[in-house]
Structure formats: C-alpha cells, structure tokens
Amino acid sequence: MNRRRTPHQSTEEALRSLGRLTAQILERIKLQQARVELAVALQRHMLPSELPALPGLHAAARYTPARAGLDIGGDWYDAFPLPGTASVGFAIGDVQGHDVEAAAFVGQVRTGLRAIAAATCDPGEVLRGVNELLVSMGTDLFTTCSFLCFDPVAGELACSRAGHVPAVWASAGCPVEVLWDPGGLPLGIMPGETYPVTRRRLTRAGAFVLFTDGVVEGPAYPIDQGLAEVSRLVGAGCEADAEELATRVSQVADRTGHSDDAAVLVLRHDGARRDRPGP
C-alpha cells in the first residue's frame, strides 16, 4: 500500500533538491572563478607590461583575447633590450591552441628568445636556437614567430620569420609593402631549420606593422582581403601616432568572423637622424 506524500513532505523534498542544486552551482561558480583567475594570471605573464622606449622608434601593441573559452590563447608579442648593445629585440607569434597549455608554452618561447638573444643579435640565429630548444623539449606544440632587431645607431631593422604571416611596411612617399620575406618553418617542428635574415635601412619616417593571423583571416574573410585592409590603414597612417595606428589595425580583427585571439605590434620609426653616421 503506497502512502501519499503530504504537502509538507513534498515541500521538504523540493527544498532539499533545491539546496543540492544550489551547492552544485556554487561549486561550479568557484571552479570557473579559479579558472578565470588562472587565465588572467597567465595572460598577464604572457605579454610584456611595457615596451622599451628608444630614440627614433615608437612601439605600440594591442592584444584582443579569444571570444570563447577562458579568454586566453596562443597569440603573443614581446620586446626587450639586447644586452651589451643599443639594440632592441621585438617578437610576435602564434602558438597553436587556446588553452592553459598554449599560454604556458608562450612563456617558454619568450624565455628562450630572451636567453638566446643575450648571446647573439642575429635574428636568424635567435630563431634557430629557440627552434632547437623547443624540439629538444619534445612537446607537441609549436609557434610561428617573427623576430626583429632594431639598431638605432645604424637605423637598421633586421627581421627573420618562422612561418609567420607577413608584416606590412609603409614609409613616407613610398608604396605600401606586404613583406613576404624568405623564412623557415614554425618553431618546434623540425631540427636543423635555418631562418634567413632580411635587413632594411629606415631612412624615412614610416611604420613597420606586425600582427597574427587572427587580425587578417577568418572563416568568411580571406587573408588577401585582410592584408589589403591592413595595408590601406598602414599606408594612410604610417606617420601617425603608433598607439593610434595599433588600435586601427587591431580593429580589422572584428571583421573576420572568428573567435580567435589577435595581436598587433607597431614599430613607428622617425627615419635617419642627421647626426647618424652612414649614407
């Protein structure tokens, strides 16, 4: 014989169920808060807190997090003085993935770049050394990268590319260029890879703009269209403020229709100074 539940018993059971659900929800909220705090901490350490300032060059950068997941990803940039010289190293890259593992890998890449750049200012040698380091670690991850060395004394910018999307360069009175410089494979894939170096004299005022593929490419936005739009912006703003140009270029990512993260690095140069030696 089944006993009928009284209204009081039904209410108590409903309250107990509600209590259990509330506890589960609070536990999930705490877990998500912990994941977000971890993501924020990783993101803070993935990117430099400030960019070096030096005569003749004004650097600015932007990072837009992924629109899904933990709002962290593998796009990164870095800038740091090269020990024993007046030069500064700049880097930008894209690790495959949008998770905590990818963010941690960014930290390893940045550490490797800084360590090897302390021994050589040659961008190709820096990338070669980091590639060998990452391959020896046996990780499944890899990263694209462009590494540059700016020498303010010679007014020269040397660049080497490891599978990264091309930069865009515009100088006053000159056509805009999409720089498909020779390069090598992304870092961490194959040992023994070499990375050619392209050197440019910055004799005119202008802007050298680097970015990740999240800025110029998406599901409904082909890379040629993205590069054309960035080229238009850089050509029109190559003598503008570096911060303003970085913001304009980063906004191209809003048109690509994807949820990837995106990074932009602008090097706004003043051109050769009158007191600088050279032709």
Side-chain angles (χ1 to χ4, degrees):
M1 181 175 179
N2 294 330
R3 298 177 59 186
R4 295 184 61 186
R5 296 180 182 177
T6 66
H8 178 71
Q9 289 173 324
S10 297
T11 301
E12 286 185 344
E13 184 175 341
L15 289 174
R16 284 194 295 269
S17 296
L18 181 60
R20 287 193 297 268
L21 288 173
T22 301
Q24 292 173 6
I25 292 172
L26 290 175
E27 188 64 29
R28 290 174 184 172
I29 290 174
K30 290 179 181 178
L31 177 60
Q32 183 62 22
Q33 286 176 337
R35 288 166 60 84
V36 170
E37 289 174 3
L38 174 60
V40 170
L42 283 171
Q43 191 70 69
R44 186 169 59 248
H45 289 89
M46 273 175 58
L47 304 174
S49 58
E50 60 182 7
L51 300 177
L54 65 164
L57 192 77
H58 314 276
R62 295 290 183 273
Y63 175 80
T64 304
R67 300 185 183 117
L70 294 180
D71 287 343
I72 60 172
D75 288 16
W76 57 277
Y77 61 87
D78 201 2
F80 50 91
L82 299 177
T85 74
S87 300
V88 174
F90 295 93
I92 191 169
D94 182 2
V95 174
Q96 300 308 303
H98 305 90
D99 52 24
V100 172
E101 185 180 4
F105 189 71
V106 170
Q108 294 173 328
V109 175
R110 288 184 61 208
T111 299
L113 283 170
R114 289 172 175 251
I116 295 172
T120 175
C121 291
D122 183 274
E125 286 300 302
V126 172
L127 292 186
R128 186 190 66 79
V130 175
N131 180 63
E132 296 300 318
L133 174 64
L134 296 179
V135 170
S136 70
M137 292 167 56
T139 178
D140 292 331
L141 296 176
F142 61 89
T143 183
T144 67
C145 180
S146 287
F147 185 76
L148 304 89
C149 174
F150 174 67
D151 181 347
V153 177
E156 181 183 80
L157 188 67
C159 178
S160 193
R161 196 163 64 100
H164 199 69
V165 292
V168 171
W169 184 33
S171 296
C174 298
V176 181
E177 297 181 65
V178 177
L179 304 175
W180 292 98
D181 295 338
L185 291 174
L187 306 176
I189 293 180
M190 182 179 295
E193 187 73 358
T194 58
Y195 299 92
V197 179
T198 303
R199 303 179 186 277
R200 294 178 172 86
R201 290 294 302 275
L202 307 182
T203 56
R204 297 172 180 262
F208 198 98
V209 182
L210 303 106
F211 38 85
T212 56
D213 60 1
V215 175
V216 293
E217 187 177 23
Y221 203 81
I223 188 171
D224 289 346
Q225 184 176 348
L227 289 174
E229 178 61 16
V230 170
S231 296
R232 183 187 69 81
L233 292 172
V234 175
C238 67
E239 297 184 82
D241 176 74
E243 297 287 347
E244 181 179 348
L245 182 56
T247 296
R248 291 177 182 175
V249 173
S250 68
Q251 290 171 346
V252 176
D254 296 335
R255 309 174 193 177
T256 60
H258 61 65
S259 59
D260 200 4
D261 50 342
V264 173
L265 179 61
V266 171
L267 307 181
R268 166 73 174 80
H269 53 86
D270 294 338
R273 300 194 309 270
R274 293 181 179 179
D275 60 340
R276 180 180 293 154

